[in-house]
Amino acid sequence: MKRLISIYSLFCLVLFTGRAEDGSRLWLRNTPVTNLPFESISYRGDGGIAVQELQQAWAGMTGSRLPRVDTPQANTLVLKTEKNKPLGKDGFSIRTNETGQTILTAQNETAHLYGIFHLLRLIQTGHTGPFNLTEIPTYSIRILNHWDNLNGTIERGYAGYSLWKWDELPATLSPRYEAYARANASIGINATVLNNVNANPQILSTQYLEKVKAIADIFRPYGIQVYLSVNFASPTVLDGLADADPLRKEVRLWWKNKAKEIYTLIPDFGGFLVKANSEGQPGPQDYGRTHADGANMLAEALKPYKGIVMWRAFVYDPKEPDRAKQAYDEFMPLDGKFHDNVIVQVKNGPVDFQPREPFTPLFGAMKKTPVMAELQITQEYLGFSNHLAYLGTMWEEFLQADTWQAGEGSTVARVTDGTIYPHKLTAISGVANIGEDTNWTGHHFAQANWYAFGRLAWNHNLTAGAIAGEWLRQTFTTNPEFVTPVTELMLQSREAVVNYMMPLGLHHLFAWGHHYGPEPWCDIPGARPDWLPSYYHKASSYGIGFDRTHKGSNAVAQYHAPLSEQFNGINTCPEPYLLWFHHAPWDHRMKNGRILWDELCYKYDTGVQQVRQFQKTWDRMQPYVDTERFLHIQSRLRTQARDAVWWKDACLLYFQQYSKRPVPYDIERPVHELEELKKIKLDMTHHN
Ligand code: GCW
């Protein structure tokens, strides 16, 4: 009965509102607007995909088409294609002239499409012109990395199964492939890696390449280039070669032939992404060769077709006393040894996508080899798709971090975008949070992270706040009563996660197996030490934190002056990174006068209070949001609030055994028993 009623109410909802508010339309809602900047459009030929998209949006906004005129009049939107070197491949300009015409100039169809989506974004966020702007993207490759497996599961995916229906392809084409391409093009994303970096060699089999081709054909009009993750041992698995030694002739030939086969099917194929000699994946080191040997072999195979290799620097070894140092130690000696169609892909932080990490010191330090950042959009370590955590602020903090490698102002943004080191190859990647859930990302607010990644990849100088505001206006409403408080909520949300999970530079306190809840006590006999929380927090009766100073692992020395010394000094180290770089005594005096233990308690409590505040803010937003999305988000915030208390209690009760100090009396008392929390075992294998 209950089920019947809910089906009935859903039916009514659809009947009265016209559509279910299930989030499927993302930020592309084409909400009706009254004041439109043009009345007609003029273009050559058939106008291509740009005009098609504009007309579709126009129909949504006005219920009719934008009339085409042969001779531009006042209030005509004119699409102009012209050779214009400064605009580059993807750039465009939009100018309203004296006669009231709006001229959208670009070199090709895809750039026109970007221009159209830009205009639509402006219109949907309340701009009516006149326009006078030029947009040239910061990075030439703006790419998503899907960690999607061929069996339909997604590693660290929290929005259901994979969008790619490998079993049905190439015969059956899901309509979501095109919807996906459109959404990405709307924010300037121009490339995607379809499969997991823990790559199944089968992706390179002829059978799968035909499936890949079918997807690539759908993406092409939207300017999305397809890449694949490849398994370094593919020649042995697929064709029985004796080994995959990158210096052996047969192996090199195998890759050349494979590249030829791929490009015959997909002439604009992007290239390979490779995880090698990392977490058990095969790689050139299996044969005593270097990462450069491996990458260069693949680069050579792809070169004739202008393909590129994205070679990951995510490497660590249990033998290393400090995991955070290894990528730098392994890759710095190879600087300059890679072919020019190789780019080294480096995670933002030196450990692994934690709620907060300092930037990986390879940024800026590798000068002769192009380096690209890998960000994680999926919230592996930030509450999956249960927690509202807007990552725009995290990425802004990272991109604007000063590496000092070429003097002050050598921000991560500027050492990767070709400004400081003039590499032609520039790119940025984000591990996708997209799955087959109707709303694409599980949590409605997780759409904002996909959106923010695209916008920052297009322009890394945009602020997290501006992006959040843009996204909210398009996704919910332009009403400032809603936009102002919810932007504020979004801007605080990542810091809230840091506070209730791992404040003051703590990291990797996550439960074994999944990375959702806390298990700072976790100890599995025989387990790799660098997979256990105690390796990172090192709590003792003296204090807490990882000593990476000159007296400890000396990871600080991988940073350029003055950062190395700044991080090295316990009183000069920025407090958000204190326990990342220092094993500090419990009574260490913080800048606000509190001792470390007390400050830790206040931070955890602040995190909990912040989420409680988010709940209050959200409840006040009910009048501005459709019921469906309102309730969904409200429910997830409740989960987040409970989880925040779980994190606080688990960490404080556990660490208190070492600090032997009381939780400051003016904050809320723990409500759980440590022993009870230790018993929680989540089965996250079926989280999907
Ligand atoms: O973040 C860790 C994840 C692994 C992942 C690995 C990587 C794809 O826990 O699931 O594997 O990093 O980035 O290679």
Side-chain angles (χ1 to χ4, degrees):
M1 190 59 193
K2 215 169 150 196
R3 198 184 160 85
L4 259 181
I5 293 174
S6 70
I7 291 173
Y8 176 74
S9 49
L10 200 70
F11 175 74
C12 291
L13 195 80
V14 177
L15 200 73
F16 294 130
T17 60
R19 340 180 51 141
E21 287 295 0
D22 53 15
S24 59
R25 289 182 288 159
L26 296 162
W27 49 88
L28 298 169
R29 295 165 64 83
N30 302 320
T31 308
V33 260
T34 38
N35 204 353
L36 287 157
F38 349 98
E39 287 162 5
S40 57
I41 183 167
S42 148
Y43 50 87
R44 293 264 173 87
D46 69 358
I49 188 91
V51 170
Q52 193 182 306
E53 284 297 323
L54 177 69
Q55 291 295 11
Q56 189 175 318
W58 214 260
M61 292 192 298
T62 68
S64 59
R65 288 175 70 79
L66 186 61
R68 180 178 185 178
V69 291
D70 292 333
T71 323
Q73 299 151 13
N75 298 329
T76 298
L77 169 64
V78 182
L79 300 197
K80 201 163 135 195
T81 311
E82 79 175 17
K83 275 231 158 321
N84 185 323
K85 253 208 160 155
L87 287 179
K89 185 168 73 61
D90 293 344
F92 58 86
S93 68
I94 305 175
R95 304 215 189 290
T96 311
N97 65 19
E98 335 54 78
T99 55
Q101 298 165 349
T102 301
I103 320 289
L104 165 52
T105 309
Q107 301 214 86
N108 57 57
E109 230 177 69
T110 306
H112 272 142
L113 181 66
Y114 294 143
I116 288 296
F117 277 124
H118 195 80
L119 270 173
L120 290 170
R121 173 166 43 244
L122 291 172
I123 294 171
Q124 287 280 297
T125 52
H127 299 270
T128 50
F131 304 106
N132 183 10
L133 58 94
T134 300
E135 290 272 326
I136 297 164
T138 306
Y139 296 101
S140 56
I141 304 172
R142 308 171 290 279
I143 188 167
L144 288 180
N145 288 185
H146 285 266
W147 286 357
D148 295 23
N149 299 312
L150 302 187
N151 67 5
T153 59
I154 304 181
E155 182 154 348
R156 314 302 179 186
Y158 316 106
Y161 287 97
S162 172
L163 276 184
W164 326 129
K165 302 290 156 220
W166 295 110
D167 294 345
E168 301 174 355
L169 281 160
T172 306
L173 303 172
S174 154
R176 293 194 83 179
Y177 301 158
E178 189 180 78
Y180 166 91
R182 167 182 299 117
N184 279 315
S186 79
I187 47 176
I189 289 172
N190 66 352
T192 186
V193 184
L194 296 178
N195 62 320
N196 192 352
V197 286
N198 292 326
N200 185 330
Q202 292 307 324
I203 194 72
L204 290 182
S205 66
T206 306
Q207 189 199 357
Y208 271 91
L209 289 177
E210 272 158 9
K211 299 170 192 277
V212 173
K213 171 194 159 47
I215 296 181
D217 287 345
I218 297 174
F219 291 178
R220 187 168 300 111
Y222 289 92
I224 315 276
Q225 255 188 310
V226 165
Y227 287 67
L228 293 175
S229 293
V230 298
N231 183 303
F232 201 77
S234 297
T236 66
V237 183
L238 290 181
D239 283 311
L241 265 65
D243 60 49
D245 181 349
L247 297 193
R248 215 158 62 79
K249 232 171 74 199
E250 288 84 341
V251 176
R252 301 173 79 85
L253 187 66
W254 187 90
W255 284 104
K256 283 189 175 152
N257 288 334
K258 192 44 85 179
K260 190 169 173 196
E261 183 187 354
I262 296 173
Y263 280 92
T264 311
L265 289 165
I266 310 164
D268 56 352
F269 179 72
F272 297 148
L273 170 64
V274 195
K275 171 174 178 177
N277 294 118
S278 160
E279 297 185 331
Q281 292 299 318
Q285 291 177 347
D286 303 348
Y287 310 98
R289 315 298 185 197
T290 69
H291 287 290
D293 294 330
N296 290 344
M297 170 191 63
L298 298 177
E300 211 175 286
L302 296 169
K303 183 87 179 174
Y305 316 97
K306 301 201 170 61
I308 68 162
V309 175
M310 295 172 166
W311 191 271
R312 294 175 96 225
F314 178 66
V315 291
Y316 61 100
D317 198 302
K319 288 192 285 294
E320 258 272 358
D322 182 1
R323 167 175 170 180
K325 287 175 65 182
Q326 193 162 340
Y328 184 98
D329 287 346
E330 263 187 47
F331 279 79
M332 275 310 284
L334 301 175
D335 191 15
K337 301 219 159 77
F338 292 93
H339 286 354
D340 63 0
N341 57 335
V342 177
I343 186 162
V344 175
Q345 179 166 314
V346 182
K347 289 189 181 181
N348 60 292
V351 168
D352 192 7
F353 297 138
Q354 299 300 292
R356 172 168 277 128
E357 295 186 46
F359 67 88
T360 302
L362 276 173
F363 290 107
M366 274 192 110
K367 298 183 167 62
K368 293 179 246 154
T369 303
V371 171
M372 65 187 280
E374 176 177 319
L375 307 174
Q376 194 182 43
I377 310 172
T378 191
Q379 292 166 231
E380 174 180 358
Y381 295 102
L382 289 101
F384 295 5
S385 54
N386 283 343
H387 293 197
L388 193 166
Y390 171 57
L391 305 180
T393 43
M394 174 157 89
W395 300 331
E396 183 177 46
E397 173 179 301
F398 161 68
L399 288 164
Q400 299 310 327
D402 199 342
T403 71
W404 288 87
Q405 289 287 348
E408 191 170 4
S410 318
T411 58
V412 171
R414 298 179 70 236
V415 297
T416 53
D417 71 0
T419 315
I420 292 185
Y421 311 127
H423 301 297
K424 269 215 243 102
L425 205 48
T426 64
I428 187 164
S429 67
V431 179
N433 61 347
I434 301 160
E436 72 168 354
D437 276 6
T438 307
N439 73 4
W440 300 85
T441 55
H443 198 306
H444 288 287
F445 272 80
Q447 296 178 356
N449 292 331
W450 175 9
Y451 183 86
F453 169 74
R455 296 291 286 136
L456 281 170
W458 181 272
N459 179 357
H460 61 35
N461 283 320
L462 290 174
T463 65
I467 297 171
E470 238 178 43
W471 177 77
L472 284 170
R473 285 185 189 90
Q474 293 169 88
T475 309
F476 290 99
T477 165
T478 52
N479 188 336
E481 307 273 338
F482 174 85
V483 175
T484 309
V486 182
T487 301
E488 193 44 44
L489 183 165
M490 287 174 75
L491 292 180
Q492 284 178 26
S493 60
R494 178 269 189 148
E495 198 65 40
V497 177
V498 171
N499 287 335
Y500 64 70
M501 283 188 184
M502 277 159 270
L504 300 175
L506 285 174
H507 49 292
H508 230 311
L509 306 183
F510 293 95
W512 179 264
H514 60 80
H515 291 148
Y516 188 73
E519 262 184 30
W521 50 81
C522 174
D523 186 16
I524 294 189
R528 274 177 70 156
D530 53 350
W531 284 354
L532 294 174
S534 56
Y535 173 97
Y536 301 97
H537 65 65
K538 301 206 176 346
S540 67
S541 56
Y542 169 82
I544 182 170
F546 198 125
D547 184 357
R548 295 191 165 105
T549 67
H550 298 325
K551 295 203 191 91
S553 80
N554 204 22
V556 292
Q558 295 182 337
Y559 290 90
H560 198 280
L563 295 180
S564 35
E565 289 313 312
Q566 195 192 331
F567 292 156
N568 189 58
I570 193 162
N571 293 314
T572 52
C573 181
E575 288 186 344
Y577 301 128
L578 183 68
L579 306 180
W580 182 281
F581 288 113
H582 294 269
H583 186 68
W586 292 112
D587 62 358
H588 168 75
R589 203 47 78 183
M590 304 297 291
K591 297 207 172 69
N592 62 11
R594 287 186 187 136
I595 60 163
L596 169 62
W597 165 252
D598 288 352
E599 182 66 358
L600 202 61
C601 295
Y602 281 107
K603 285 282 184 202
Y604 275 105
D605 192 60
T606 302
V608 171
Q609 298 313 322
Q610 284 173 303
V611 182
R612 305 293 291 170
Q613 192 55 49
F614 298 163
Q615 289 186 280
K616 292 180 192 161
T617 303
W618 186 250
D619 281 357
R620 281 195 288 121
M621 295 302 115
Q622 187 159 14
Y624 311 108
V625 188
D626 51 274
T627 311
E628 218 176 328
R629 287 187 295 172
F630 175 77
L631 292 176
H632 192 264
I633 292 159
Q634 184 186 52
S635 161
R636 299 237 161 170
L637 282 169
R638 288 182 183 144
T639 305
Q640 187 170 0
R642 289 193 298 273
D643 288 347
V645 176
W646 173 26
W647 269 96
K648 170 189 159 187
D649 288 4
C651 295
L652 290 185
L653 292 174
Y654 174 73
F655 291 134
Q656 192 176 32
Q657 298 174 320
Y658 297 96
S659 80
K660 303 204 166 43
R661 291 165 197 268
V663 172
Y665 296 111
D666 58 338
I667 66 176
E668 283 184 31
R669 312 285 85 199
V671 293
H672 297 99
E673 299 294 341
L674 182 58
E675 291 315 308
E676 291 303 312
L677 294 177
K678 284 189 180 176
K679 284 188 210 139
I680 300 179
K681 288 282 168 239
L682 299 183
D683 178 10
M684 288 292 177
T685 44
H686 299 293
H687 182 82
N688 279 336

